[in-house]
Amino acid sequence: RRVGRALLRGRVREMTARLGFREIDCPCCGSPSSALFAEGRELDTFRFYARLAGFERLNYVRCLGCGLIYSNPRLAYTESTLEQVSPGHVARRLERQATIQARIRRGKEKKLERIVRLAGTARGRFLDIGCGSGIALEAAAAQGFECVGTELYPGFIEVCRAKGLEVVPGTIEGIRFPDASCAVVFLDDVLEHLDQPFAHLDEIARVLQPGGILYVNTWVIDDPTTVEAAFGPEWRKDMNLDLTAHTTIYPTRLLLEQLRRRALVPQMEVSTWRAGDGAGAHAAQFCDFLARKNG
């Protein structure tokens, strides 16, 4: 077993060395100017990625133009290499979900209830971006929506199709849904993972019909001037500061502004989680955003 693990680590390091890393400009405003926000090698999550050749080069930076926080440089992986970068990711997720399946389903159903309250009796296409094992699609189908998901991981796609769910491989940019073809776009714990999140928002605004609803659950931050001010003195231990999983940290003001610029008018903002308490409280929050497309 030890030999097998050593061989796996060697293959992953070789693969990531070939992929290399890339520098990017701000995904929001395009500015090339940024300042260091958090040094990757100082994060506790660094130990999980020691097998990735050159991971110590990755950092979070803060855009000096708009204030967005994003990973830069970042690993230059593609859709076809996701499983190689994180071997066994799908299997681990499915194993964890199996132990808390009922809780996950209840959480998705509560989110659907908010959408249904806003949608009223209107139904139509429900698009779940990054649908995983399809739990939200099942909940939406039970509410009368016509459901379709997008997903990158082949393992999740197989699980969804075995359930009879419609899932299209890839990302929303490459799928070419028709204009104004979706009543709801569901983005649950996905926006912070995307390489180009604002390009996704452009596509979402395009495919949403007038009056259509966007649901976003992501993490936001109130005052992103320094990592310690935002996450407290123990910021190195925060597992959300994970440079391969979480590419982007959104200032709340900036995210709401970017939604409005795309005619996505926020209808409801619900803080669902806040880390810590007292003097050590983190300013990072996971929030639900519901927005309606202006017609």
Side-chain angles (χ1 to χ4, degrees), residues 137-175:
L137 290 175
E138 293 175 296
Q143 291 284 351
F145 288 97
E146 172 196 343
C147 296
V148 60
T150 71
E151 180 55 53
L152 294 179
Y153 285 98
F156 282 137
I157 294 171
E158 291 172 11
V159 169
C160 287
R161 289 179 174 171
K163 295 177 178 179
L165 299 170
E166 181 183 355
V167 180
V168 184
T171 62
I172 189 173
E173 304 106 311
I175 291 172

Side-chain angles (χ1 to χ4, degrees), residues 128-286:
D128 185 358
I129 300 173
C131 63
S133 60
I135 297 174
L137 290 175
E138 293 175 296
Q143 291 284 351
F145 288 97
E146 172 196 343
C147 296
V148 60
T150 71
E151 180 55 53
L152 294 179
Y153 285 98
F156 282 137
I157 294 171
E158 291 172 11
V159 169
C160 287
R161 289 179 174 171
K163 295 177 178 179
L165 299 170
E166 181 183 355
V167 180
V168 184
T171 62
I172 189 173
E173 304 106 311
I175 291 172
R176 306 293 182 189
F177 286 100
D179 292 357
S181 61
C182 297
V184 176
V185 176
F186 191 74
L187 210 62
D188 190 12
D189 190 23
V190 171
L191 197 63
E192 67 273 18
H193 296 272
L194 300 175
D195 185 57
Q196 292 294 326
F198 299 96
H200 270 73
L201 288 180
D202 289 338
E203 281 295 284
I204 288 166
R206 182 184 66 79
V207 303
L208 266 177
Q209 63 192 36
I213 296 167
L214 168 64
Y215 170 86
V216 176
N217 176 273
T218 192
W219 63 322
V220 293
I221 195 168
D222 293 332
D223 182 13
T225 51
T226 69
V227 66
E228 185 165 335
F231 291 91
E234 300 296 315
W235 61 270
R236 291 172 181 82
K237 298 179 180 178
D238 195 297
M239 293 295 105
N240 287 306
L241 290 169
D242 183 335
L243 283 157
T244 60
H246 296 138
T247 61
T248 315
I249 306 172
Y250 301 94
T252 310
R253 166 202 54 77
L254 179 64
L255 181 55
L256 291 172
E257 173 189 294
Q258 290 298 314
L259 291 175
R260 292 189 185 99
R261 286 186 61 180
R262 292 163 173 82
L264 300 169
V265 182
Q267 303 288 312
M268 186 186 306
E269 177 187 342
V270 182
S271 178
T272 56
W273 179 81
R274 192 177 181 91
D277 52 26
H282 297 181
Q285 305 165 78
F286 278 84

Side-chain angles (χ1 to χ4, degrees), residues 4-16 51:
R5 288 175 179 171
L7 289 172
L8 176 62
R9 285 195 297 270
R11 285 198 299 270
V12 173
R13 288 185 67 84
E14 180 183 350
M15 183 273 298
T16 54
R51 59 187 171 81

